[in-house]
Amino acid sequence: MTTAEPDLRAEDLHLGYDDRAVVSGLDLALPAGRITAIVGANACGKSTLLRALARLLAPRSGAVRLDGRALHSIPTRELAQRLGILPQSPVAPDGLTVLDLVNRGRSPHQTWWRQWTKADEAAVHDALTATGTTELAHRAVDELSGGQRQRAWIAMAVAQGTEVLLLDEPTTYLDLAHQIDVLDLVTDLNRREGRTIVMVLHDLNQACRYADHVIAMKSGRVVAEGTPAEVIDAATVEDVFGLRCQVTQDPVSGTPLVIPVGRHHQPAAERADAP
């Protein structure tokens, strides 16, 4: 993996599907070597933006650039050596072992004249070790628990050796303990190897705990970005999510802690005034 700091950004980006516009006029620069969390309500454009950052969705107009080069101008193999994505709920072929899956992460580095090398072997070994999946190497991916399966997919992305890693809701369908395991693993990759990580998260408190940089989206636009403390306050949460809340300090991490206020937990006077 290269040690250069990647410059990944969107410029006047417009995205959509068929006749439906999803993202409009978005400008964004992702901090290199940091963990960025993209948050927002359902259908606000988070995953659509991530797909465009990974060149899985072509812009209607504007551009995504990596080190000043438009993504569509970068050869596919070169881009795959620099930028990796883990989509929501990926599915492996029946019977594929964890080792086979992680080996596939080395595909962008292979050509007809450059076959499997000791460097590939070392990258796979290191990825299995980093993700705690060595003992699972010869088990079928479809036989694993949700947390084990997610670690296996992350191992494949790690073996790919990219300097930028995009994760679309990496904690979906995992119980709380496995969610924390995955987010701790992502943090390890960032701190140990300096990888630039961008992930879509639903849980605001997890975003505050694990991200250096938070991007809050609403209706296809960025409404706030910065450190968790700069972005996450009661007014922004209500604007972005339509949710009343109180924001205090997380007693463990010192980051913002969002406490939702539902209808049944409003002050008595406010409940009395409610219809």
Side-chain angles (χ1 to χ4, degrees):
M1 185 179 67
T2 179
T3 58
E5 290 197 341
D7 179 8
L8 180 64
R9 63 181 60 234
E11 298 175 350
D12 193 25
L13 192 63
H14 292 256
L15 305 169
Y17 304 97
D18 298 325
D19 296 330
R20 181 168 63 94
V22 178
V23 169
S24 302
L26 185 144
D27 292 295
L28 193 63
L30 284 307
R34 313 291 278 178
I35 298 176
T36 294
I38 304 175
V39 301
N42 289 340
C44 73
K46 304 184 300 295
S47 292
T48 298
L49 172 60
L50 202 74
R51 284 173 55 81
L53 293 175
R55 206 176 71 178
L56 298 179
L57 179 65
R60 289 180 168 179
S61 63
V64 177
R65 299 186 184 279
L66 180 60
D67 293 342
R69 302 166 63 191
L71 287 193
H72 74 267
S73 71
I74 301 176
T76 298
R77 184 178 299 276
E78 179 185 345
L79 184 64
Q81 292 173 357
R82 301 196 59 197
L83 188 152
I85 183 169
L86 181 61
Q88 291 184 44
S89 306
V91 178
D94 290 345
L96 189 75
T97 68
V98 170
L99 181 60
D100 290 336
L101 177 67
V102 178
N103 284 346
R104 291 186 177 198
R106 300 304 298 168
S107 296
H109 304 274
Q110 313 261 307
T111 63
W112 67 269
W113 68 85
R114 182 199 179 280
Q115 299 301 312
W116 195 259
T117 67
K118 289 184 177 180
D120 296 318
E121 195 74 34
V124 169
H125 175 272
D126 291 347
L128 291 169
T129 301
T131 55
T133 52
T134 301
E135 294 183 357
L136 304 174
H138 298 292
R139 291 184 57 185
V141 176
D142 54 10
E143 296 176 355
L144 302 178
S145 69
Q148 291 172 330
R149 190 179 304 120
Q150 194 71 330
R151 290 205 308 275
W153 280 101
I154 293 175
M156 185 196 72
V158 172
Q160 191 174 338
T162 61
E163 59 207 297
V164 180
L165 184 56
L166 309 176
L167 306 172
D168 194 357
E169 299 184 25
T171 58
T172 297
Y173 307 126
L174 301 182
D175 62 39
L176 185 57
H178 286 119
Q179 290 177 30
I180 300 305
D181 282 345
V182 166
L183 292 171
D184 280 343
L185 169 59
V186 168
T187 302
D188 289 341
L189 295 174
N190 169 259
R191 292 180 178 174
R192 184 172 58 241
E193 302 179 11
R195 296 184 191 235
T196 299
I197 295 174
V198 184
M199 55 185 175
V200 170
L201 288 178
H202 272 301
D203 189 309
L204 282 178
N205 291 328
Q206 290 181 355
C208 288
R209 274 195 175 190
Y210 286 93
D212 306 299
H213 190 78
V214 174
I215 296 169
M217 291 185 64
K218 178 183 178 182
S219 301
R221 297 180 182 275
V222 174
V223 297
E225 65 172 308
T227 66
E230 292 169 339
V231 172
I232 302 302
D233 56 32
T236 300
V237 173
E238 184 163 6
D239 178 36
V240 170
F241 292 91
L243 174 70
R244 293 187 58 190
C245 70
Q246 294 182 11
V247 177
T248 185
Q249 186 179 75
D250 188 317
V252 174
S253 63
T255 54
L257 178 67
V258 177
I259 304 173
V261 178
R263 287 189 300 106
H264 296 285
H265 301 96
Q266 295 174 7
E270 294 185 18
R271 290 201 301 270
D273 294 337

